[in-house]
Structures are given as C-alpha cells and as structure tokens.
Amino acid sequence: MAITNYVLTMDKAFAGALYDLSSHTVDSFAVEEADGIGAACAVIRGTDAEHQVKSPSASGDGAKVIGVTLHTHIEPPEAGKKYYSQKYTVPVVTKGRVWVTTGGAVNAGDEAHLKLADGTFVKDAVSAGTIEALGCGAKFITSCDKAGLAVIEIG
C-alpha cells in the first residue's frame, strides 16, 4: 500500500519529551495504579514511597508532586489503556525541563499549577481541590496562546 499523505516537517515536540540537554535528573519508579499512568503526567510517591509513583487525585496532592513522567518509545498500549501500565518502570523527570500539555494559554515565567480534573498544567490561581500548586516548584519557560504544549522547568 502506498503512503499518500505525509508531511515534510516534524512537530516541534510532544508531551513528555525532554526540552533540551540542560542539567536534569530522571529517576525510575514502578507504576502503582491498576489503570496505569500517561506520559507527561505529574506524579506523587505511591504506597511504597521508595519504589512506586501514582497520579495525584485529591486535594493537597499537588504539594506532593515530585515530577513528570518522561516519554519513552514503547509498544503502544491497547485501546483505552494509559501509556505506562501497572508495574511498568516509568522514568520521572524530578529536575529539568520537559514538554507538558497545558489547559490554556500560559506565559514564560508563570508558575505552573496542576489542574486535577484532567492533569493539565495551567497558570491559573490555586483553588483547593481543583487547581493545585506543585510541590516540585515548576514554572513555565515557554509560552503558548491556547491549550497545547509548553515547557516547564522542575526544581
């Protein structure tokens, strides 16, 4: 079968990719959650804090965020499943710059917050149980004028 539709340029980035090769730390953890974790997702320590991570889901979890899951090229998950399955060893950027999905327009220099409902990163004011401040001290270093991709710096 012939390829009839292709583009000549690549996308500038994708969620979960490292932004550059500046100093960064990537730690490995096992996914605790039965339904898995996506790439470019904020994570907190799991039940076994030394070895596991899980998604923040409750009010106050934003302060526990240790980093963002890094994208690695793996076999695509089954339809309806998250990128990293339970018990998978997932890389987590705990210091450095990584591309994330935003929930709206953001500006370079804005403090990054987590919108619990959909896991996107926003500049909006903190609102308990809805938008959480991040414990890893992340800020946006690139801008975007609508929901899309931007870079946050952790640590």
Side-chain angles (χ1 to χ4, degrees):
M1 175 192 254
I3 298 174
T4 59
N5 184 15
Y6 61 92
V7 295
L8 297 176
T9 58
M10 295 173 38
D11 291 335
K12 67 178 178 180
F14 53 88
L18 278 178
Y19 175 62
D20 59 18
L21 294 179
S22 61
S23 178
H24 60 275
T25 302
V26 179
D27 294 311
S28 297
F29 295 91
V31 175
E32 178 177 348
E33 295 171 272
D35 60 345
I37 290 178
C41 292
V43 291
I44 62 175
R45 292 188 182 273
T47 303
D48 178 348
E50 185 178 350
H51 299 108
Q52 295 177 319
V53 289
K54 60 184 179 180
S55 299
S57 60
S59 181
D61 278 355
K64 300 174 188 174
V65 169
I66 62 167
V68 174
T69 56
L70 183 65
H71 179 277
T72 57
H73 296 290
I74 60 173
E75 193 69 32
E78 297 175 28
K81 301 281 185 176
K82 292 189 179 171
Y83 197 71
Y84 296 113
S85 60
Q86 184 181 35
K87 297 182 183 176
Y88 190 88
T89 301
V90 62
V92 177
V93 178
T94 55
K95 180 181 187 234
R97 299 171 173 180
V98 62
W99 287 93
V100 295
T101 304
T102 67
V106 299
N107 299 307
D110 288 340
E111 189 174 314
H113 300 122
L114 178 65
K115 188 174 180 183
L116 285 177
D118 60 10
T120 59
F121 294 83
V122 296
K123 68 174 182 176
D124 303 334
V126 172
S127 175
T130 306
I131 297 174
E132 298 272 320
L134 296 174
C136 59
K139 66 177 180 178
F140 290 102
I141 63 166
T142 64
S143 305
C144 64
D145 57 2
K146 60 182 179 180
L149 292 177
V151 177
I152 61 171
E153 183 167 35
I154 301 167

